[in-house]
Amino acid sequence: MNRESQHKNKKQKTNNNTKTMPPNLQSNDPYLILGCPTNADDATLKKAYRKLAVKWHPDKHPDNNEEATKNFQKVSEAYATLSDPKKRQMYDQYGEEGVRAADAGADMPGGGGMPGGGGFGGGGPGGAHHMSQEEANAFFAQAFGDSDPFGGLFGGMGGGGGGPGIRFSSSHGGMGGGGGDPFASFLGQAMGGSMRGMGMNDMRAGMGRAQSMRQSSPAKKEYNVIPRGTIVSLKDLVSKAIYNGDRGVIKQYIPSSQRYVVELEDSGEEPLSVKPENLLQHVHVTIYDIQSQQELNGKTGTIITWCPKKGRYNIYVASLKRVVSLKPGNVVLETGTVARLNGLTSKPELNGKWGTIKDHVKDTNKYDVQLSANQIIRVKADNMIL
């Protein structure tokens, strides 16, 4: 059986499956790389690409940069093929040879047979052209437009090639792709399964019960707990390492186990129970007191990773569309951020404890940090890390 027949048979087998599947970065098939069926629409393909591109962006993996770069380029190549209508049709009909022909300028065939012969060079996954890191970075920037790819989840907007896009809004005010509650649509999707089939009276009754419970038993303020709704990435998981790098939103904190319940982005999986050390908060910061590049001061950005070997954050600055590496003392965490005390010498017993940032004192570059209802301490910015 020739390649064209094999590809058509594979396409027919998956054509009735409209569900996404786990991405397979070991494959050379662009659909399998993105984890999408062959009948996926443009919006589904774009959503899958954006999720994987953010997960494998090299700046998020300073300790595993080689693998991340390879995967980042691979998902970019796959989406570059499938977001181009001509290349996608040629791939669907003829596989990689079809994409090579499209790259060589061949037109859509009117009848049977491979257009233009074969041997057009290249050979990247799902296409003729092997995308370089620079090309993948440019493709990534185009796909996200002016929005912040690291700063939020679960919204919707246009922009970039390949059909309707997804806006990534900010989890706190002041940044991102343009207003609105960044979690509203996600929470609606999360509730969709349980609320589907419920009548209006049932929904009103349920909302009424929830409101009554809130009024009768107000939640106790916890200053050492990361707020519900915070966008996070998973890291350093051992038993479920497949989820490392995936993003989600904090739904709940369980005091008895000292774990957070995290609902993953666009996942059909059950929420995960995760220790604090396995979370990275994608909070927003303001760059502060850089002497060597003073033009950066006052710029806002999103923390995308922590580099423990260097003791620095990698921060995506949306207005510059680039990543900078900065020490904790050169970033101001937003008021309300819950961070961890680290490196205190005067009160070492507090190291490892979590507290809520109440204020930043610019003159001394210190935070007022609330540890409990009765305890507020003042510490250097260097002593608060996520």
Side-chain angles (χ1 to χ4, degrees):
M1 184 181 292
N2 61 31
R3 182 178 299 177
E4 177 184 341
S5 299
Q6 289 176 336
H7 188 73
K8 286 183 177 178
N9 284 347
K10 177 179 66 175
K11 186 174 187 293
Q12 288 170 353
K13 289 178 183 179
T14 60
N15 218 15
N16 294 324
N17 179 15
T18 59
K19 295 182 179 179
T20 58
M21 61 201 86
N24 180 2
L25 295 177
Q26 305 305 312
S27 175
N28 284 329
D29 185 317
Y31 290 104
L32 297 181
I33 291 169
L34 297 180
C36 293
T38 53
N39 60 351
D41 60 18
D42 291 338
T44 299
L45 293 170
K46 188 168 192 177
K47 199 172 189 180
Y49 161 71
R50 287 184 163 189
K51 179 180 177 180
L52 288 169
V54 169
K55 176 175 180 174
W56 288 108
H57 195 283
D59 287 319
K60 285 188 67 177
H61 300 270
D63 297 328
N64 193 19
N65 194 265
E66 184 175 347
E67 180 187 12
T69 299
K70 177 183 175 182
N71 289 340
F72 181 68
Q73 292 172 214
K74 195 164 190 176
V75 299
S76 299
E77 291 169 15
Y79 182 61
T81 294
L82 299 182
S83 62
D84 183 304
K86 179 180 176 180
K87 288 183 180 180
R88 181 176 181 180
Q89 184 173 342
M90 296 284 268
Y91 180 80
D92 287 346
Q93 289 184 285
Y94 304 105
E96 293 181 23
E97 290 295 321
V99 180
R100 282 195 279 273
D103 278 339
D107 294 326
M108 292 290 187
M114 178 63 209
F120 286 107
H129 177 65
H130 184 75
M131 190 174 282
S132 68
Q133 184 174 353
E134 291 75 19
E135 290 170 323
N137 286 335
F139 192 76
F140 180 81
Q142 178 187 2
F144 285 95
D146 293 329
S147 60
D148 177 2
F150 302 99
L153 309 168
F154 317 120
M157 72 171 282
I166 306 162
R167 180 168 67 206
F168 285 64
S169 311
S170 61
S171 59
H172 303 283
M175 278 193 62
D181 182 351
F183 309 106
S185 61
F186 169 66
L187 294 175
Q189 292 168 9
M191 294 173 67
S194 59
M195 296 182 73
R196 214 173 279 123
M198 292 175 64
M200 185 59 69
N201 290 336
D202 295 327
M203 294 199 312
R204 286 172 179 162
M207 292 176 183
R209 285 194 295 271
Q211 184 176 7
S212 175
M213 289 172 62
R214 286 195 298 268
Q215 291 173 348
S216 61
S217 55
K220 179 183 176 183
K221 175 65 176 175
E222 299 286 351
Y223 297 99
N224 62 338
V225 174
I226 300 171
R228 183 184 180 193
T230 300
I231 296 170
V232 296
S233 284
L234 304 183
K235 62 184 182 73
D236 302 329
L237 294 173
V238 177
S239 61
K240 295 186 177 181
I242 189 174
Y243 296 114
N244 285 328
D246 281 356
R247 294 189 305 171
V249 62
I250 289 179
K251 301 284 287 183
Q252 184 183 359
Y253 177 70
I254 304 174
S256 58
S257 62
Q258 296 184 339
R259 287 172 174 255
Y260 290 92
V261 176
V262 177
E263 187 148 10
L264 297 180
E265 174 185 12
D266 302 323
S267 173
E269 303 285 340
E270 291 293 322
L272 298 181
S273 176
V274 182
K275 297 177 181 178
E277 56 265 32
N278 296 121
L279 297 176
L280 173 71
Q281 301 176 63
H282 293 297
V283 300
H284 296 138
V285 300
T286 302
I287 298 175
Y288 177 78
D289 197 28
I290 302 287
Q291 299 301 316
S292 58
Q293 301 181 67
Q294 295 190 17
E295 68 277 7
L296 292 177
N297 292 326
K299 300 285 187 186
T300 53
T302 303
I303 288 177
I304 63 172
T305 196
W306 166 251
C307 311
K309 292 180 180 179
K310 296 180 179 180
R312 290 171 174 257
Y313 295 112
N314 278 359
I315 298 166
Y316 179 79
V317 183
S319 62
L320 303 177
K321 293 187 177 181
R322 69 182 179 94
V323 173
V324 295
S325 179
L326 299 175
K327 297 177 180 179
N330 293 119
V331 301
V332 178
L333 299 168
E334 287 187 320
T335 298
T337 300
V338 174
R340 181 164 50 91
L341 290 161
N342 179 70
L344 288 176
T345 55
S346 59
K347 295 183 178 180
E349 69 277 8
L350 295 180
N351 288 324
K353 293 187 178 296
W354 296 75
T356 298
I357 292 175
K358 305 299 290 184
D359 192 20
H360 176 250
V361 184
K362 290 185 178 181
D363 292 342
T364 57
N365 196 20
K366 292 184 176 182
Y367 294 118
D368 286 336
V369 180
Q370 188 149 8
L371 301 179
S372 68
N374 302 316
Q375 186 179 18
I376 297 178
I377 62 173
R378 181 165 289 185
V379 298
K380 295 179 181 179
D382 283 315
N383 297 124
M384 292 296 288
I385 63 172
L386 297 176

